[in-house]
Amino acid sequence: YGQTEAAPRMACLPPNRLADKIGSAGVALPGGRFAIRHESGDEAPPGGRGEIVYSGPNVMMGYAQSREDLARGDEAGGVLRTGDLGYLDDEGFLYITGRTKRIAKISGVRVSLDEVEAMLGAVAPAAVVAAPDDGVVVFTTCPDAELLAKVRRQLARDLAAAVKLLDFRVLAELPVLPNGKVDYARLTRMGDGDGS
């Protein structure tokens, strides 16, 4: 696991732990450290979810837009707020669950859209975006209306949300960008009522 701003690796999963740490990004590289931070900025205990924050000597100094910016020195202080969501287990192995920008509020409760997609993945390909007011819009390629109604009710139970806040829409195919990733910007426009 890594980001360009951390030159570019932050974690590695040791090969001898592959079988018992399935889904983990591994542990911090020597000299590095992960912390999980709640919105309040407090550090989460093992198993607690929040934003992944990495500290280490390989973190960039900052962003430069001009030659003058290069004289500013180290603005990051060796700390990188990754924008990823996740948790650490009791051995310090990192698990990534989504992105901070991929969050919706359902009746005031923050929900990871990536986690909702993972819940739906066993049924059919699905992409989830925040609804304009409250809730989420689920775009799926599953044409089975009866199955989708059942899945919608189960998702409402799992999220402790009202069924009416989960808007399911069927598409022939999910829109993708040239790089093959889901075009969430287009789906968000569609969820807002703009079909473009």
Side-chain angles (χ1 to χ4, degrees):
Y1 168 62
Q3 291 190 353
T4 303
E5 293 88 346
R9 292 286 171 258
M10 299 180 293
C12 183
L13 180 59
N16 63 331
R17 301 303 302 272
L18 286 171
D20 62 317
K21 296 294 181 180
I22 293 173
S24 174
V27 293
L29 296 178
R33 177 183 180 274
F34 286 110
I36 305 298
R37 299 265 176 208
H38 295 303
E39 271 189 2
S40 65
D42 295 334
E43 188 167 340
R49 295 175 184 237
E51 183 178 7
I52 300 167
V53 178
Y54 174 77
S55 303
N58 55 327
V59 173
M60 66 169 186
M61 295 171 62
Y63 293 102
Q65 302 296 323
S66 67
R67 180 187 302 254
E68 292 74 30
D69 293 345
L70 298 174
R72 292 195 317 242
D74 186 1
E75 296 180 318
V79 178
L80 175 63
R81 296 184 68 101
T82 66
D84 290 327
L85 297 171
Y87 64 93
L88 295 167
D89 70 11
D90 56 1
E91 292 184 87
F93 281 78
L94 178 67
Y95 292 81
I96 302 166
T97 60
R99 293 282 298 158
T100 56
K101 292 182 180 176
R102 297 266 305 133
I103 294 290
K105 283 197 175 181
I106 301 178
S107 298
V109 177
R110 289 170 54 89
V111 174
S112 165
L113 299 176
D114 293 319
E115 288 187 23
V116 174
E117 284 182 7
M119 292 177 191
L120 299 170
V123 177
V128 183
V129 298
D133 298 318
D134 193 8
V136 296
V137 181
V138 177
F139 293 94
T140 179
T141 58
C142 178
D144 186 335
E146 187 175 322
L147 175 61
L148 288 180
K150 180 180 175 183
V151 169
R152 186 176 179 217
R153 288 190 302 272
Q154 181 60 51
L155 184 61
R157 282 192 292 274
D158 291 345
L159 297 175
V163 173
K164 68 180 181 179
L165 298 178
L166 309 176
D167 181 2
F168 275 61
R169 302 182 192 181
V170 178
L171 299 176
E173 59 184 14
L174 298 175
V176 294
L177 298 166
N179 63 6
K181 293 183 179 181
V182 173
D183 188 345
Y184 288 107
R186 183 171 176 203
L187 290 175
T188 298
R189 290 192 303 272
M190 293 168 69
D192 288 345
D194 176 0
S196 60

